[in-house]
Amino acid sequence: MTPQDNNLSRRDFLKLGIGALSALAVLEMSGVSLFFMQPRRLAGEFGGVVNAGPADSFPTGSVVEFPDGRFFLIHAPDGGFLAVYSRCTHLGCTISWEADKNHFFCPCHASSFDTNGDVQNPPAPRALDLFAITITEGQVLVDTGSITQRDRFTPDQLTYA
Ligand code: FES
């Protein structure tokens, strides 16, 4: 083996090493990017299933806000539950519950919604969106990753314990 052969193989070795490190860096960046790009659906947070608590802890006729889950839980007078998205169906502003007026109100263009989420006052074009509810072992579980649009309230949208 001549010294030139040695120089050549050293150069090849360096090229291989740099190539391997580059490939590793690309793989690592791809993995990190994919991790941050995937939707977050953690239990208890918006986008995941939120345990609202025991069904019997909500008096009938009550409306309770869950800010982290971005919904209001409505316990209708007949005992059924509705979970409505706290986003206005007009242009997406956040609504609030005004207990003294017994309605939901959007501050952006003054839409209001009744206790079932039906439009009382436009410009909102349709009722508040719903999240799926299941009641398991007495706990009200609201799936904030599952949004249902609706034109208006119908009794079959209620979930019972
Ligand atoms: S965004 Fe709510 S009324 Fe316009």
Side-chain angles (χ1 to χ4, degrees):
M1 190 179 276
T2 68
Q4 283 169 336
D5 286 341
N6 248 350
N7 282 343
L8 194 61
S9 70
R10 204 174 293 145
R11 191 175 298 138
D12 286 345
F13 177 78
L14 281 175
K15 278 184 188 173
L16 263 175
I18 289 170
L21 284 175
S22 300
L24 194 65
V26 167
L27 280 174
E28 196 169 326
M29 288 306 293
S30 303
V32 169
S33 300
L34 285 175
F35 176 79
F36 284 108
M37 285 168 55
Q38 71 186 1
R40 297 187 65 195
R41 290 176 155 257
L42 300 178
E45 292 184 3
F46 178 74
V49 175
V50 176
N51 185 342
D56 58 12
S57 67
F58 301 99
T60 52
S62 65
V63 176
V64 178
E65 183 175 12
F66 288 81
D68 292 345
R70 302 185 201 172
F71 67 88
F72 291 87
L73 186 67
I74 299 163
H75 197 186
D78 77 342
F81 285 94
L82 280 178
V84 295
Y85 195 1
S86 59
R87 209 180 81 152
C88 180
T89 54
H90 179 223
L91 294 176
C93 291
T94 301
I95 58 164
S96 60
W97 169 246
E98 295 186 334
D100 56 327
K101 294 177 181 154
N102 209 34
H103 73 186
F104 297 97
F105 181 73
C106 177
C108 291
H109 312 97
S111 283
S112 62
F113 305 84
D114 69 13
T115 51
N116 292 316
D118 262 338
V119 177
Q120 273 183 329
N121 188 50
R126 56 186 168 76
L128 295 171
D129 295 339
L130 293 178
F131 292 129
I133 294 178
T134 52
I135 299 176
T136 307
E137 296 174 2
Q139 301 290 309
V140 181
L141 306 177
V142 179
D143 184 357
T144 60
S146 166
I147 300 173
T148 301
Q149 293 186 353
R150 58 186 177 147
D151 290 331
R152 65 187 58 80
F153 169 74
T154 55
D156 63 308
Q157 295 163 355
L158 293 161
T159 301
Y160 294 87

